[in-house]
Amino acid sequence: MTLSRPIGIFDSGVGGLTVFRALRRGLPRESLVYFGDTANLPYGTKSPDTVRGLVRAHLGFLKRRGVKVAVVACNTASAVALDGLERSMRLPVVGVIDPGVREAVARTRSGRIGVVGTRTMIASGAYQRRLAAAAPGVRVFARACPLFVPLIEEGWARTPVTRQVAMSYLAPLKAARVDTVILGCTHYPLIKSVLRDVLGTRVMLVDASGAVLRAVRAELGERNLLRVRGPRGRVTFCLTDTGGMFPQFARRFLGAPLGRLVKVDVRVRAASVTAGGRA
């Protein structure tokens, strides 16, 4: 049945687990296929052309797995690779940027909004442009925070080193008196307590995972593809490299066994990327 087809979630590594967890809790009867490109992370230091090739190839893999909608849970990929992708692939695609922008605009009181993300994410100007279009009166203060992802993936999220790095990165946003900060990388909610401690409790942190859940629910509802009855959905994890820390990190973060784990082979050729998998 069409309703039983899974939702695909794509990320460069572990950051998309924040979106996965929101979808698993909010849409428990939907089956989920999580694709982590762990062989090619991080995306935040790669060129836009490289990211576009990787995203197109891996979404193609998810399409062949029969997903009914693909969620690009990577901010960098959403920023540089989604334009025209849904139309060309003939697959519904939900990114993380627009839901986060809508939530930030709704929550800000002063109109002074900060954005933190990877270098590629911030350099793309995606959040800055969308915020300006959504609320022309807002002032946007963007800050690249490239060390956050490796610190999180090394398991250093709660160490004094991460707090010191956060204090350095976030000082310009504090000086700008922002009242809302968009976490422009799906890794960053994993250090939300550190960011809140540094920025202060009066600053609203926008984690797009909840907004993405609402966007996916609306997308499936409009297409009559939302599964509201039946047993709990199945979960499959697909990784391009299973030799790293993803399985242990995911089990610790999700508080449950991963379920089915699939190794996906990826070949990179010059300017193009191809993907194939085995179930």
Side-chain angles (χ1 to χ4, degrees), residues 84-97:
L85 192 62
E86 180 173 2
R87 183 173 60 256
S88 65
M89 298 198 72
R90 298 181 181 179
L91 175 70
V93 178
V94 175
V96 292
I97 294 177

Side-chain angles (χ1 to χ4, degrees), residues 72-82 94-104 115 121 124-131 182-186 206 208 211-212:
V72 177
C74 171
N75 279 267
T76 299
S78 292
V80 304
L82 291 198
V94 175
V96 292
I97 294 177
D98 288 334
V101 164
R102 288 192 293 270
E103 186 163 339
V115 181
M121 170 76 251
S124 75
Y127 272 109
Q128 297 93 311
R129 290 191 301 272
R130 285 171 170 82
L131 284 166
I182 297 175
L183 306 184
C185 175
T186 47
V206 174
V212 170

Side-chain angles (χ1 to χ4, degrees), residues 7-250:
I7 297 170
I9 304 169
F10 170 77
D11 187 64
S12 59
V14 303
L17 290 173
T18 56
V19 174
F20 169 89
R21 185 169 64 178
L23 293 177
R24 188 62 172 160
R25 290 175 175 175
L27 299 171
R29 292 177 176 81
E30 297 286 357
S31 293
L32 305 176
V33 176
Y34 184 97
F35 188 110
D37 190 13
T38 45
N40 292 294
L41 60 83
Y43 278 17
T45 58
K46 289 179 168 55
S47 70
D49 284 344
T50 297
V51 173
R52 279 189 284 267
L54 291 165
V55 172
R56 180 172 291 277
H58 299 326
L59 289 190
F61 170 81
L62 287 173
K63 183 178 180 180
R64 292 192 294 276
R65 299 268 315 196
V67 302
K68 56 187 176 183
V69 62
V71 178
V72 177
C74 171
N75 279 267
T76 299
S78 292
V80 304
L82 291 198
D83 286 346
L85 192 62
E86 180 173 2
R87 183 173 60 256
S88 65
M89 298 198 72
R90 298 181 181 179
L91 175 70
V93 178
V94 175
V96 292
I97 294 177
D98 288 334
V101 164
R102 288 192 293 270
E103 186 163 339
V105 169
R107 291 189 177 192
T108 185
R109 304 175 303 279
S110 67
R112 303 174 74 85
I113 298 175
V115 181
V116 291
T118 65
R119 282 199 179 99
T120 300
M121 170 76 251
I122 297 301
S124 75
Y127 272 109
Q128 297 93 311
R129 290 191 301 272
R130 285 171 170 82
L131 284 166
V138 303
R139 296 191 62 185
V140 182
F141 304 86
R143 183 75 167 147
C145 305
L147 289 178
F148 281 165
V149 169
L151 285 169
I152 291 167
E153 295 193 345
E154 285 295 323
W156 287 25
R158 299 182 180 180
T159 65
V161 173
T162 299
R163 189 180 189 283
Q164 191 65 39
V165 169
M167 290 177 64
S168 177
Y169 280 154
L170 301 178
L173 299 187
K174 293 185 68 175
R177 304 188 309 281
V178 300
D179 73 349
T180 304
V181 174
I182 297 175
L183 306 184
C185 175
T186 47
H187 282 71
Y188 294 1
L190 301 175
I191 56 169
K192 187 183 289 187
S193 61
V194 175
L195 303 181
R196 185 177 288 113
D197 182 50
V198 172
L199 287 168
T201 56
R202 292 188 177 183
V203 175
M204 180 67 65
L205 299 181
V206 174
D207 168 5
S209 59
V212 170
L213 166 62
R214 291 187 287 276
V216 171
R217 185 185 285 123
E219 180 76 26
L220 293 177
E222 290 174 5
R223 297 173 181 269
N224 295 318
L225 293 175
L226 187 63
R227 190 178 187 191
V228 296
R229 295 182 178 85
R232 188 169 176 82
R234 299 176 62 186
V235 172
T236 302
F237 288 88
C238 299
L239 303 178
T240 52
D241 181 4
T242 56
M245 295 297 294
F246 181 95
Q248 296 92 326
F249 186 95

